[in-house]
Amino acid sequence: MKDIKKYIDTHQKRFLDELIELLKIPSISADKAYKDDVFNTADAVAERLKEAGCAKVEICETPGYPIVYGEIIKDKNLPTVLVYGHYDVQPPDPLDLWESAPFEPVIKKTEGHPDGAIFARGACDDKGQMYMHVKALEYMTQNDDLPCNVKFMIEGEEEVGSENLGWFVSRNQAKLANDVILISDTGMIAKDVPSITTGLRGLSYVEVEVTGPNRDLHSGLYGGAVANPINVLTKMIASLHDENNHITIPGFYDQVDELTAAEREKMAEAPFSLENYQKALDIDAVYGEAGYTTNERNSIRPTLDVNGIWGGYTGEGAKTVIASKAYAKISMRLVPHQDWKEITQLFKTHFESIAPKGVRVKVKPHHGGEPYVTPIDNIGYQAAEAAYEKTFGKTPIPQRSGGSIPIVALFERELNSKTILMGFGLDSDAIHSPNEHFGVWNFLKGIETIPHFYHEFTKLKSAEN
Ligand code: BES
Ligand code: MN
Ligand code: MN
């Protein structure tokens, strides 16, 4: 392993150039117009896996976008690491807020990334982080330093709910058999504060539609005399939180796993500056559920947020109109042991019940997903911890994240193994947002840390047997 730094130094320019090529393909899974690009990205990932030394690479068709599978089986008696990642990306809009085009990657220095960061949609989430694993594998195969078996499973539908991944996993349990699952699709606290993600929130995503009169109306002739769907919708949405910012849906908190005082104290030990947090977002105060800190609000507590709201006239100038319909998209982030299907049903029942006379309400469930929390007393976590200690010179902090990777809970159930979330992104990397970027330093540090995980895990696993 002594040569890894040298290998990275020698090849880093090529690593970055290759990642840039991958980032140029607009693999937007949410938008059918990019279908060919999503398929082409799968082909490109498969090629890269082959080049990195994967003996067997397959592009597995699904009813949706393909899953790229690759493996190196050295010896059936050695442990197997399964790497998961995704090659699809979020839509880049609003385009006018990008300083450079989302699919024309550029490397620019920033305050947080003095070594430069790659700006492009998918740079951090997840092409850049996924590609760290491909390059770590290249290092291990080129230097005869792969200590165990490895399997790759890179999907193209993560950003739209991984609908076909469950289908694939349940049909390929033997093929995907492994001793630990390794994912880099989360973040870390700071460059000098390494952390390992030990929890992900679940998700329930719904769309609501409020219909009033059967056509758009003149707001002078009818205003004040009929229910205005936009007025009604915003009032209904506002009522979903009380004055303490608790969610008002009956039963919403019934299954919530409350942390003990000791667990909360432990959490509070992670370094955090409220001042920097506010400064980074240009806000003069934080906002959220009474009785919880910012880090608790965004990780161990369930939340409800409007993600989009529309209706009526939004073009230039003014148009006096009462729209017939109003819409909103709403996400609820869930914690253990909330069941997303049950929460979706609770939302639907409640939302329909608070609709006033004079409007009709429809609730359309989209996707959802289960939360995930992993203990730290397993060899997967210990191997990751040892790997970070080697490359950062510090013990990483376990941290629950607010984001969701719904498929992780399913992995544990279907494949019966623990998932280790080694993320190298920063909160400021603007994933899902204009000007997404990934630090060059983070990218290279990830490549350096991953092979250590393989070695540590193989050691600990062999000692177990
Ligand atoms: N990689 C993210 C999730 C993430 C990011 C978790 C940072 C923790 C830290 C993933 O690609 C994602 O965006 N997931 C979606 C859910 C999915 C069902 C669309 C999310 O969290 O909104
Ligand atoms: Mn992701
Ligand atoms: Mn994402």
Side-chain angles (χ1 to χ4, degrees):
M1 288 291 291
K2 56 186 184 302
D3 289 340
I4 181 144
K5 276 195 166 144
K6 210 171 102 201
Y7 191 82
I8 293 172
D9 268 356
T10 311
H11 298 281
Q12 56 169 296
K13 176 154 186 337
R14 175 174 54 82
F15 290 177
L16 287 166
D17 288 343
E18 289 170 5
L19 174 57
I20 284 170
E21 284 311 306
L22 210 54
L23 288 167
K24 284 183 185 168
I25 321 177
S27 50
I28 307 166
S29 51
D31 189 341
K32 285 279 169 303
Y34 294 90
K35 192 172 165 201
D36 291 348
D37 294 302
V38 185
F39 276 98
N40 289 341
T41 309
D43 292 344
V45 171
E47 270 319 300
R48 300 301 169 75
L49 278 173
K50 275 183 216 155
E51 288 162 13
C54 257
K56 180 168 138 193
V57 176
E58 298 167 356
I59 296 179
C60 307
E61 300 301 329
T62 74
Y65 289 123
I67 289 156
V68 183
Y69 176 82
E71 67 175 33
I72 301 177
I73 305 295
K74 281 179 63 142
D75 178 341
K76 288 228 152 39
N77 298 315
L78 284 170
T80 301
V81 176
L82 173 68
V83 176
Y84 163 85
H86 61 95
Y87 64 81
D88 64 323
V89 301
Q90 285 274 324
D93 56 272
L95 281 174
D96 52 325
L97 295 183
W98 283 79
E99 281 166 24
S100 54
F103 298 106
E104 291 166 27
V106 289
I107 297 181
K108 279 190 298 190
K109 291 189 164 78
T110 70
E111 214 184 294
H113 295 296
D115 298 333
I118 312 169
F119 281 75
R121 171 55 86 231
C124 178
D125 183 12
D126 178 43
K127 283 176 179 163
Q129 297 214 65
M130 175 270 286
Y131 207 60
M132 298 180 316
H133 287 270
V134 180
K135 292 298 99 178
L137 181 70
E138 176 194 305
Y139 158 76
M140 291 185 285
T141 59
Q142 290 292 312
N143 295 277
D144 196 19
D145 203 13
L146 177 68
C148 57
N149 304 318
V150 56
K151 298 176 177 175
F152 271 70
M153 174 170 63
I154 313 296
E155 72 153 321
E157 300 187 320
E158 197 278 341
E159 299 292 8
V160 289
S162 301
E163 246 174 79
N164 294 296
L165 190 62
W167 176 92
F168 179 77
V169 170
S170 60
R171 274 165 190 74
N172 290 283
Q173 279 169 329
K175 182 190 189 101
L176 300 172
N178 65 80
D179 296 286
V180 69
I181 298 170
L182 186 59
I183 304 180
S184 295
D185 193 21
T186 54
M188 59 182 192
I189 296 177
K191 281 158 76 171
D192 57 349
V193 189
S195 58
I196 298 173
T197 304
T198 52
L200 295 162
R201 286 195 286 191
L203 180 70
S204 162
Y205 201 101
V206 298
E207 187 169 326
V208 300
E209 177 189 301
V210 174
T211 307
N214 60 2
R215 60 180 169 89
D216 288 4
L217 303 173
H218 188 289
S219 67
L221 296 182
Y222 289 93
V226 297
N228 175 334
I230 300 177
N231 290 9
V232 168
L233 174 62
T234 51
K235 201 167 164 181
M236 288 169 72
I237 288 171
S239 79
L240 295 175
H241 289 93
D242 69 12
E243 66 284 5
N244 290 315
N245 275 314
H246 293 305
I247 293 156
T248 56
I249 300 168
F252 186 83
Y253 291 101
D254 283 2
Q255 311 301 327
V256 168
D257 186 26
E258 299 283 347
L259 267 63
T260 62
E263 284 172 313
R264 291 177 69 185
E265 265 163 40
K266 185 89 200 120
M267 254 191 91
E269 284 172 16
F272 175 72
S273 155
L274 191 60
E275 194 190 323
N276 291 349
Y277 187 85
Q278 292 182 181
K279 215 166 104 197
L281 301 176
D282 211 356
I283 50 176
D284 59 5
V286 290
Y287 185 93
E289 190 182 5
Y292 295 92
T293 65
T294 296
N295 274 337
E296 290 173 339
R297 288 169 179 168
N298 67 25
S299 65
I300 60 164
R301 297 298 296 166
T303 51
L304 181 153
D305 280 287
V306 177
N307 292 237
I309 183 161
W310 70 104
Y313 184 70
T314 57
E316 208 180 308
K319 177 187 177 191
T320 50
V321 66
I322 293 174
S324 165
K325 286 175 184 290
Y327 306 85
K329 290 184 195 279
I330 296 174
S331 70
M332 287 164 277
R333 297 284 170 172
L334 310 175
V335 300
H337 308 94
Q338 288 177 299
D339 175 313
W340 73 269
K341 290 191 173 133
E342 201 177 305
I343 293 292
T344 304
Q345 191 53 50
L346 288 178
F347 176 91
K348 186 171 156 53
T349 306
H350 177 68
F351 207 70
E352 286 167 354
S353 80
I354 60 173
K357 282 214 167 72
V359 299
R360 278 162 289 145
V361 168
K362 264 194 217 155
V363 176
K364 185 176 130 196
H366 278 260
H367 51 266
E370 287 170 68
Y372 181 75
V373 173
T374 179
I376 61 172
D377 61 353
N378 61 79
I379 59 166
Y381 187 89
Q382 285 152 8
E385 194 173 62
Y388 281 86
E389 279 167 357
K390 286 235 154 68
T391 57
F392 286 80
K394 281 183 182 170
T395 302
I397 296 172
Q399 190 203 28
R400 275 171 67 171
S401 169
S404 309
I405 311 177
I407 209 68
V408 172
L410 183 135
F411 286 160
E412 175 144 348
R413 252 197 336 271
E414 297 269 344
L415 302 174
N416 200 19
S417 47
K418 291 266 167 261
T419 291
I420 304 304
L421 298 157
M422 285 177 46
F424 292 89
L426 301 180
D427 282 355
S428 53
D429 288 346
I431 62 171
H432 291 209
S433 180
N435 306 309
E436 174 178 352
H437 55 278
F438 189 34
V440 171
W441 184 90
N442 301 62
F443 176 63
L444 300 175
K445 204 69 178 170
I447 300 172
E448 184 190 339
T449 308
I450 291 162
H452 285 286
F453 173 83
Y454 282 69
H455 282 272
E456 297 296 331
F457 185 77
T458 306
K459 244 193 311 190
L460 291 171
K461 184 76 195 168
S462 313
E464 219 180 32
N465 294 333

